Amino acid sequence: MKEYVAETGGRYTYSDDILNLQELALSMSTIFDGCSDFIISGCTVEGSTISPGYVWLGGKVRRFEGVTDAVFPYYIYESNRHESVVYANEVNKRGRTCYLCAAGKTVPTTADPVTGKIPAAIEVRADYAPRFIDKFFGRYAVLLETPFQRQTIKKDLVLAGMFTANKEINSKTAVSVSGENGYSLKGIVKSDGNASLGAYLNGLLVNEIVIRTDGTFSFMKQGKELARVTGDGISYGTSLSDNSRIGAIHIQGCDIYNTQDVTDEGTIRINYYGVEGGGTKFRDFAVYDGKLFLTPIFKVIGKSATAQVNGLFSVHSAGRGIDLCNTAYTKDDPKLQNTLSWRDSTGAVIAAVGFDTTDSYRFVVRNALGDIVIAPLGSVDIIGTLKVNGKSVADTYVTIDAYTKGMAGKVDKVEGKQLSTEDFTTEYKRKLDAISTGGITEGGTGYVTSGAVAEALKTKLSADQNLRDVVDKGAARTALDVYSKPESQEVFLQISEGLQELVRLTADEVNNLTPEQAQALKAERQAAVRATLDAEKGGTGEQKLTKTSNLSDLADKSKARRNLEVYSTTEIDNMMAGKLGTDSAYQGIIFTSEMRDKLNNIETGAFAYTDHEGKSHAQVEGYVLTSAIVKELKKKANWLLDGYNSTELATIAKNLELYTRTGADGRFARMENLFQDYINYLVAQGKSSAQAQTILREKLNLLSKDEIVKDYLRKDAKLTDLVLGSPEAQRQVCRTLGAAFAEEYQPLLIDTGWMQMENSGQGTDTRNLFVRQIGSIVSIQGEINTAKRDGSNWGGVIAMIPNKIQPPKYSVRCTAANWNDDHKYNRGSSFTIYGGQRKLQLYERGFYNVNCQLNFTYFV
């Protein structure tokens, strides 16, 4: 850059000095390069006057002389020209270019003589004009005050200090907080509307929390959902916790226990509820051994109410043993039934111990497979009657005493004599014949046997038993119309109990009840007893008032007045002290509660408006002030309320660059007529309907229906409307579609699938011999028995080829043999299918009733 210097003594001025000054001036304007047109200074608007000033217009700094009668919008546009000066030899040539500006209501549409382009212009409105502060500083700096609602910074903005915003921060991409070592925290809104707050490492997402539009939260790790929070709760795949509590259930270490129930009946219930918390389906409970074994060690089957133990059932206790309880019947009912059973793998009962019938009190020990062995260290003591096959041994076997006593009176046999002491004479025989038998129930004079007496005595009661030997005590009590001791305890009250039986709660009644519920049930029963006895609850007499005291025995009279909602004499006197008498009562309109509510419902409303900060406020329903209505009406144009005449409508439409309804109807097509209005317009211009349709299709770049039918294929025709003139054209289409040309490829081979060989007679068995044909290849595979044949061992038929399979054109054969070190035991058989036949024949010797594996494969 050259700087002009002039010292004392006089100095010549050269053209280079002028060029240097011009270069200095032009270099200053390069500051505005890249900026759009704006006002540098001046050009302020006051009414219809625009003051003089400087503008940056068309890439040059220009001076605007101002104007006093501007009609807005007003335009300052460039006006350039060349000026001629006198050169040497009196020749006029271009000596300078003048970059000026002019102003007006419109911008000239002719090209500028210097630039050859439409002049650039600055629009000046009554409320805004582009100025230096927003077009220059607004391009390179952040402004404290700007005439626009927002300022856009096109590149990154880095603040060294703390950033504070008095309003919300809005980002269209993401809000990030960067840390050290490449870590950052970024919040974004995804394309699906879900918000994400994620942790990133070097720009890659590591973990994130997703806030979904349906109100749920998701915790993600590298794209995988770890947990989700919904209205139904928290769902997650894995939980790692040393201590967890869900409702009343507490899990700590290896322990699960109930923490809320403070009674001795605290319970953990498993599978109380079924599907979806209801009771529609049964549930099972299973415990395994931890070794991935399919069978559980312990299983509770809900449907059959069965507890199943698939292992050793070992009871370790201090003498408590195993208790089997029938919950349906008591010991007085023969329907009480409970057994301990042994079953095999199919479920069949092989042994049982217990009460096995519903019509008696029989207790059985049954072994369906073998003996029952009782092996005590000492003796086996049986209390009661011992029976064999239902018959008492006393009726079957003789006791030692009876045998000894009977044998004492026997007579020994003597040779030559019938009896040793006396001979049995005919007289004795007649005497024995005269003795006849009788019956205990029928009476008579004959004798009865001890067995009959014993049987009869079984149904009799013994005097020394005092009715203890009654078989059915319940039936006996019914016959005598008496109560048993337990029944009398249930029916009658004991004097010593003092009516406690009427209010006492049993264990079954308080089961599953809270202490408060049990106490309420007992109080209800006590109240019922008091009502029957016409008695009062203990202590209530002391709480009652005496009639003769006229409420003077109230303990707390102030509280009683509050309960009765009445005032005391003192309170009434205090309240009435400042009141008027009845002779001075108010005779006007009484202000009622309805009037008060009506006044309370009168609220001030407001019209919708935008405040000084640009924030929009919605309309508020209610009563508005007259000033607010006047202010709102000032925003309306009276003509919009009163209406326009046709001339005014045309003028307004022209000023607003709008079409009236008549003009729009004549110029634009109606939606319901589609393009018919344009066709009608062309026909009115002298075109035919076909020509009009062709012009419309050309404008829309469309084909006619005839052209589409002629040149394009239909989808539903499946290429049947494709006309191909030569095989080469057909091959080209197949290559385009990636299909095979039929003449160049082998047709699809027939495949019968595996079929069972047919039998040739009743003696053949081809259940395991199969055949299949694929194209010209037939394969027979499987197994036959050499004894299953139709015919002899020399040419017996063992199978037939089905009709769907083609037989071999030429004979085929395969063999099967057993090999042994002793060659004389080597035996075998051959199997043959002769050409053109379907019979599979065998030829064997010493190879009878042997299973052979066959494999035939032949071409047809």
Side-chain angles (χ1 to χ4, degrees), residues 789-809:
R789 61 196 181 198
D790 183 13
S792 66
N793 62 327
W794 290 100
V797 180
I798 61 173
M800 297 289 291
I801 299 175
N803 291 332
K804 291 185 178 181
I805 306 296
Q806 294 179 263
K809 185 175 182 181

Side-chain angles (χ1 to χ4, degrees), residues 56-160:
W56 170 256
L57 182 60
K60 299 293 182 179
V61 176
R62 308 168 190 263
R63 174 165 177 81
F64 175 64
E65 299 299 334
V67 67
T68 59
D69 55 351
V71 177
F72 301 102
Y74 202 73
Y75 297 93
I76 302 175
Y77 55 87
E78 61 177 328
S79 176
N80 307 314
R81 68 176 184 270
H82 295 297
E83 291 184 351
S84 298
V85 297
V86 179
Y87 281 71
N89 299 324
E90 299 297 328
V91 176
N92 293 330
K93 293 184 179 181
R94 188 175 60 178
R96 66 180 66 87
T97 300
C98 300
Y99 295 100
L100 308 174
C101 62
K105 292 184 58 178
T106 59
V107 179
T109 58
T110 57
D112 186 85
V114 175
T115 63
K117 301 178 181 179
I118 300 299
I122 297 175
E123 182 184 43
V124 180
R125 299 196 301 267
D127 56 348
Y128 172 75
R131 295 189 175 275
F132 178 72
I133 188 172
D134 52 272
K135 295 298 181 179
F136 180 75
F137 288 109
R139 179 181 177 88
Y140 302 106
V142 179
L143 302 179
L144 297 178
E145 294 289 343
T146 173
F148 303 106
Q149 292 185 353
R150 62 175 59 90
Q151 184 176 0
T152 301
I153 302 175
K154 296 184 178 180
K155 294 186 178 181
D156 297 340
L157 176 64
V158 179
L159 301 178

Side-chain angles (χ1 to χ4, degrees), residues 48 107 133 399 547 578:
S48 61
V107 179
I133 188 172
T399 63
K547 293 182 178 180

Side-chain angles (χ1 to χ4, degrees), residues 446-713:
Y447 72 92
V448 292
T449 62
S450 61
V453 175
E455 288 296 329
L457 291 177
K458 288 182 180 179
T459 62
K460 307 299 180 182
L461 301 178
S462 300
D464 57 350
Q465 292 294 324
N466 293 322
L467 300 183
R468 283 194 299 271
D469 50 353
V470 174
V471 177
D472 192 340
K473 297 179 177 60
R477 289 192 298 271
T478 302
L480 295 175
D481 195 17
V482 297
Y483 289 112
S484 65
K485 186 175 180 180
E487 290 174 341
S488 63
Q489 292 177 352
E490 294 180 358
V491 174
F492 301 104
L493 301 176
Q494 297 184 20
I495 298 176
S496 60
E497 291 291 333
L499 301 182
Q500 285 295 325
E501 298 97 332
L502 298 177
V503 298
R504 184 183 295 116
L505 301 180
T506 64
D508 293 336
E509 290 176 329
V510 299
N511 189 24
N512 296 329
L513 296 180
T514 62
E516 293 78 7
Q517 292 174 335
Q519 184 64 31
L521 180 58
K522 184 175 181 180
E524 181 180 352
R525 293 188 178 182
Q526 289 174 342
V529 174
R530 288 195 301 271
T532 302
L533 299 178
D534 194 16
E536 295 183 350
K537 188 176 181 182
T540 56
E542 299 176 357
Q543 300 177 359
K544 292 186 177 181
L545 301 176
T546 305
K547 293 182 178 180
T548 58
S549 299
N550 292 321
L551 300 182
S552 61
D553 50 353
L554 287 173
D556 191 342
K557 295 180 176 59
S558 299
K559 186 175 182 180
R561 286 194 298 270
R562 287 195 299 272
N563 293 335
L564 295 175
E565 296 182 354
V566 299
Y567 292 105
S568 66
T569 304
T570 304
E571 291 172 337
I572 293 296
D573 292 340
N574 293 335
M575 287 189 296
M576 297 301 295
K579 306 297 181 179
L580 296 176
T582 55
D583 54 346
S584 302
Y586 175 68
Q587 301 298 325
I589 298 175
I590 299 175
F591 184 73
T592 63
S593 57
E594 290 78 5
M595 296 179 180
R596 181 199 60 205
D597 295 338
K598 186 175 182 180
L599 289 176
N600 289 334
N601 290 331
I602 298 176
E603 297 180 354
T604 303
F607 292 100
Y609 67 98
T610 302
D611 59 18
H612 63 282
E613 295 181 353
K615 186 175 181 181
S616 177
H617 294 268
Q619 178 175 301
V620 179
E621 294 297 330
Y623 298 97
V624 294
L625 303 177
T626 304
S627 57
I629 297 176
V630 172
K631 180 180 179 181
E632 192 68 18
L633 288 177
K634 286 183 177 180
K635 300 178 182 179
K636 313 296 180 181
N638 291 332
W639 278 346
L640 290 177
L641 300 177
D642 302 335
Y644 298 94
N645 56 38
S646 58
T647 304
E648 292 171 338
L649 287 174
T651 303
I652 293 173
K654 181 179 180 181
N655 294 336
L656 296 178
E657 296 182 355
L658 300 175
Y659 290 106
T660 62
R661 174 173 294 184
T662 303
D665 291 343
R667 186 176 183 84
F668 300 104
R670 288 183 293 275
M671 183 64 68
E672 62 270 16
N673 290 341
L674 296 179
F675 300 108
Q676 187 61 42
D677 286 343
Y678 181 67
I679 295 175
N680 296 339
Y681 171 76
L682 294 178
V683 172
Q685 299 295 323
K687 306 289 184 183
S688 65
S689 297
Q691 291 174 337
Q693 292 175 347
T694 302
I695 295 173
L696 178 60
R697 287 197 300 271
E698 290 176 353
K699 289 184 176 295
L700 297 177
N701 194 19
L702 299 176
L703 297 175
S704 67
K705 184 176 181 180
D706 295 336
E707 291 172 335
I708 294 175
V709 174
K710 178 181 177 182
D711 298 333
Y712 293 91
L713 304 176

